[in-house]
Structure formats: C-alpha cells, structure tokens
DNA sequence: TCCCGTCAAGAGCACTGCTCTCGCTTTTGT
DNA sequence: ACAAAAGCGAGAGCAGTGCTCTTGACGGGA
C-alpha cells in the first residue's frame, strides 16, 4: 500500500494544474476568471472542475493564499539579506521586494490589495498570511530599537490610538513604543499606496521613472520612521 | 418650439434615473453591476438601456466621472473652509473630507481607486477629474510656501526624480521646489492608503478606533510635509 | 471477486452583455 | 399639413457565465 495512492497523487497534480491555469487567467480576467475557461484550457468539461474546487470562491481563496505566501516569502527573504543592523538597507530591500513581486504578479496583487471581490468574503485562514508583510517591516524597527539605533518618537499618542496600538504591541512586539509602531504602519501604508498607484496606472503620465520615484519616496518614509542614514 | 423638446427632456431624466439605479447596484455588485438588473429595476427591457448607454463600460465611465466630480468637490470645499494660512487645519479638513466621502460611497471609491476593472480602460476624460484631489492637497503646500510658513526640504532629489517632478511643477505649481512636491505626493499616497486599508477591511481587527487612528496618521504626514503646528 | 468511491461527461437552469428586427411615436423638413 | 427621418420600447436570439444533477465508466481496498 503506497503512502499516497495513485488517485491521491493524480488528484494533487490536478489541483496544482488547475491553480496554474487559473493564475494565467487571473492575469487577463482579474477576479472574475471563468471556471469554464479554465476547464476548456485543460481539455475537460466545466463540471469536472467542481470535483476539485467546490466553488469559484474556493479557487480564489486558494490563489489568494498562495499569493500571500509568495509575497510574504519575498519580503521575508529580502529583509534577511542585508546585515541585521543595516536598517535602511533592510527597509529598502523589503519594499523593493514587495514592489518587484507586485510588478511581476499584478493580477495577484490586485486580488490581495485591490477592491474586495463583490460576493466574496475572505476566510479566516487568510488573515495570518496577510499580516506577514507588515509584521516583517515593523520587525526592522524592533531590531533597530533593540540595538539602540532608533530613538523612539517623542510624541505622545492620543488615547484611543495608544490603546489600540498597545494591543498590537502586546500581541506582536512586546515593549515597542506605540508611537514607533504608528510610524511603521505609516511606512507600510505608504508602501502599499506607492505600489497601488504604480500598478493601477495612476503614475502613468505623471512619473515616467517610477523605479527612482519609488526609491525616493520609500526613503522619505525611512526618515519618518527614524532609520539612521 | 421648446428649447429642449419633450424627447430630449425625457431622455435626460432617463439617463439620470439609470445612473441613480446603477449607483445603487454598484453598492452591492461592485464593478460587475448588471445592465439587465438595472433595466429590471426600472421596469424596462434590457435592450432599451442601450438607447441611453451604448455599452456597460460607458455607464461605468459616467459613474466614474460623477464620482470623481463629487470627491473633488468635497475635497475642494473642505480645503476652502479654514483660514487660508491654517495649513494644518486645511490639510486635516481635506483628508477628512476625502475619507468621509469614501466611507459614504464605498463602492464608488472602490471603482475609482480599487483594482482596475478587467476589460475596462479609463477614457481620457477621466484623467483631469482624477488629478483634482492631489492638486488640491499640494495647493496647500504652495500656499504655505508662498506665505513663508513652510521651509522647503533641504534634500536634493536624485536626478530622474527631480526631472520628472520638475515637469509636474512646471505644469501645475510653477516655482514649487521639487522636494516639496515629492512630500506632498507622499501625503496624497498615504491618504489613499489609509482610506483603502480602512475601506477594504484591512484594519477591521487591528484598529477598532479608526477615526482617531486616521487623524493621527494624517498628522504624521503633516509633519513630514513640514506643516507648522 | 465484488462493491464503494471517485471521476469525466452531458444536459439543464438562471443569469449576463450585446445585437437585430419589429412596430410605434415624436420630431423635423418641406 | 404631410411625409420622411429619427428616436423609442419590446422581444427574440447568440454566446457566454456559475452551478447542479444524473449517467456511466473506472480504480482500489476488502
């Protein structure tokens, strides 16, 4: 008796192939990719797809999970590249990795960070992978603070904000000043905004040299977060 | 002979009603609203809609244009409220107006700033209205600089960035230092990111008090842009 | 060997955007 | 005032969609 029966093996390969074909369709059709078209591309009848994914939304969820995984891995790998205390280098590397991944997989990025798909509600299993990129970014600040290379911001946060961020600090970065977390989240927000504007064509006419623009704007946020030059 | 014939009057009313019904459907169906459903809601047959909008995309374009107009008006009105030299007040008012409009019209905001609709290419007529909000925001910086209340940033921009932003400066804000424009665009990017994260549910679990969070993060960007307290 | 579970296939339902034709009414030109 | 032209709603129809259900064939565990 094989550890995985022939059936199970074939089934796993089928699922992988469906996801691969669906990813291709995602690039042209966005979130309303067609199961029938995927089935056609695979030489099967549409109803057969439902043996592997009980609905179109489940297929979407699988693609979303894989995309989060890929983006999270890319950012994590980038952040681990430079010396641990080269804060600015790590910040830039992480941001660049996120943007590069997005430019290489625009449809998947849009699926993750674009408008929510009308009838679709992201299941809970997506929340943890979705948190990885911002957590990785803020991790740079944690490291810098621990090494004494970042001075925590002087400002005191107004109350409801401090309490909310305090919960996040307690859960993910014990000891991190809330004001520093706030600046880290600003950096993450800016990164998302820069990538989205770029990808969704908002800079098309205005800024021809988008790589350089991105690097500079990312550097501005590094200043705001207090990363030493 | 009436200045506008009965037919023309009825036609204009029809177009308005179609847009109104479509806006309602937008809220539930997002960008894939259905012409047939709109027609059903109006008690007509689907083919009749095509007398008024030659395609679904044209209807979308009309909705997009009106949405840009509404958002642009809201931001412009907010910016004109406070004293002209109350830079921080104007910045906060403008950002708040944009967010309020987005929260009141989430589907329309998603149409403007969410993932691009798959088969749809925004016609040229949308580019000017799309520029209004950021131009209004940077206008605050122009006013502050002219009044001597903002010190232009000390940094020198790396070359391709300076040249690109120089074109924008020449076109829209003659005399404005490119570095200041860069910071204004960072503010606009951050505003878009904050609203999107809020609207697309990315803060749901993490930040319960989103109004206060928004105000604080917007204030951070005011600091970055050099707005005096 | 037998039988149960899995599979692909096909038909079918309700829906979509869009086109075309058919009559009817309003507007326009003479 | 009358006819031609243009605008209009209704309906049928085409190709496509997600999804369900039934049918028949095949493989693997007992």
């Amino acid at each position: 008796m094989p550890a995985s029966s022939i059936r199970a093996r074939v089934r796993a390969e089928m699922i992988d192939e469906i996801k691969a074909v669906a990813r291709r369709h995602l690039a042209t059709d966005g979130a309303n990719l067609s199961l029938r078209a995927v089935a056609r591309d695979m030489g099967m009848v549409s109803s057969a797809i439902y043996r592997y994914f009980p609905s179109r939304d489940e297929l979407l969820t699988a693609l979303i999970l894989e995309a989060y995984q890929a983006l999270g891995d890319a950012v994590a790998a980038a952040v681990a590249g430079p010396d641990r205390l080269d804060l600015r280098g790590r910040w830039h590397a992480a941001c660049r990795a996120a943007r590069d991944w997005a430019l290489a997989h625009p449809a998947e990025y849009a699926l993750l960070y674009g408008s929510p798909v009308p009838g679709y509600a992201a299941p809970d299993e997506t929340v943890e992978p979705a948190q990885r990129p911002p957590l990785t970014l803020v991790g740079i600040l944690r490291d810098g603070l621990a090494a004494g290379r970042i001075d925590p911001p002087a400002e005191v946060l107004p109350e409801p904000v401090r309490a909310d961020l305090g919960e996040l600090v307690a859960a993910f970065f014990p000891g991190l000043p809330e004001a520093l977390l706030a600046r880290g989240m600003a950096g993450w927000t800016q990164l998302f905004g820069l990538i989205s504007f770029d990808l969704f064509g908002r800079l098309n006419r205005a800024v021809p040299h988008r790589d350089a623009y991105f690097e500079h704007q990312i550097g501005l946020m590094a200043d705001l977060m207090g990363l030493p030059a």
Side-chain angles (χ1 to χ4, degrees), chain A:
Chain A
M1 57 186 79
S4 67
S5 66
I6 294 187
R7 265 227 165 102
R9 245 181 41 101
V10 170
R11 183 179 175 82
E13 284 172 11
M14 271 300 230
I15 290 183
D16 279 352
E17 190 179 343
I18 292 175
K19 285 196 282 195
V21 174
R23 244 191 307 269
R24 281 210 311 270
H25 278 90
L26 212 54
T28 65
D29 298 337
N32 39 17
L33 60 83
S34 144
L35 277 187
R36 292 178 114 111
V38 171
R40 245 195 320 270
D41 266 26
M42 299 188 52
M44 52 191 333
V45 117
S46 72
S47 57
I49 295 271
Y50 288 86
R51 296 275 173 201
Y52 303 93
F53 291 95
S55 75
R56 205 192 61 124
D57 284 5
E58 301 263 352
L59 214 195
L60 276 184
T61 298
L63 295 178
I64 288 174
L65 280 176
E66 288 197 357
Y68 272 130
Q69 194 65 37
L71 174 61
D73 289 352
V75 172
V79 120
D83 187 86
R84 188 173 171 80
L85 292 185
D86 176 11
L87 305 179
R88 234 182 165 89
R90 292 174 74 198
W91 166 251
H92 269 84
C95 293
R96 213 175 297 131
R99 178 166 178 265
D100 287 348
W101 185 89
L103 291 180
H105 309 86
E108 283 155 272
Y109 177 88
L111 199 57
L112 299 187
Y113 294 106
S115 359
V117 183
Y120 177 83
D124 285 346
E125 33 181 351
T126 63
V127 23
E128 190 271 331
Q131 291 172 337
R132 276 183 66 208
L135 290 183
T136 304
L137 293 177
V138 177
I140 300 174
L141 300 185
R142 185 219 326 112
D143 294 345
L145 189 77
R149 301 212 174 190
I150 296 182
D151 299 324
E155 78 259 13
V156 187
L157 298 190
E159 196 30 58
V161 180
R162 199 213 50 79
D164 285 357
L165 297 193
E167 302 257 343
L168 294 177
V169 164
F172 298 111
F173 300 100
L176 195 77
E178 285 89 356
L180 190 55
L181 174 62
R183 293 184 178 227
M185 292 172 71
W188 161 239
T189 306
Q190 181 82 205
L191 171 60
F192 156 82
L194 282 169
I195 295 177
S196 296
F197 276 175
D198 192 342
L199 223 62
F200 298 166
R202 208 126 243 149
L203 302 178
N204 273 351
R205 305 159 182 81
V207 185
H209 300 87
R210 275 168 257 158
D211 291 11
Y213 174 75
F214 177 79
E215 293 290 331
H216 179 260
Q217 298 295 82
I218 279 302
L220 279 184
M221 297 311 289
D223 294 342
L224 184 70
M225 295 185 302
L227 301 191

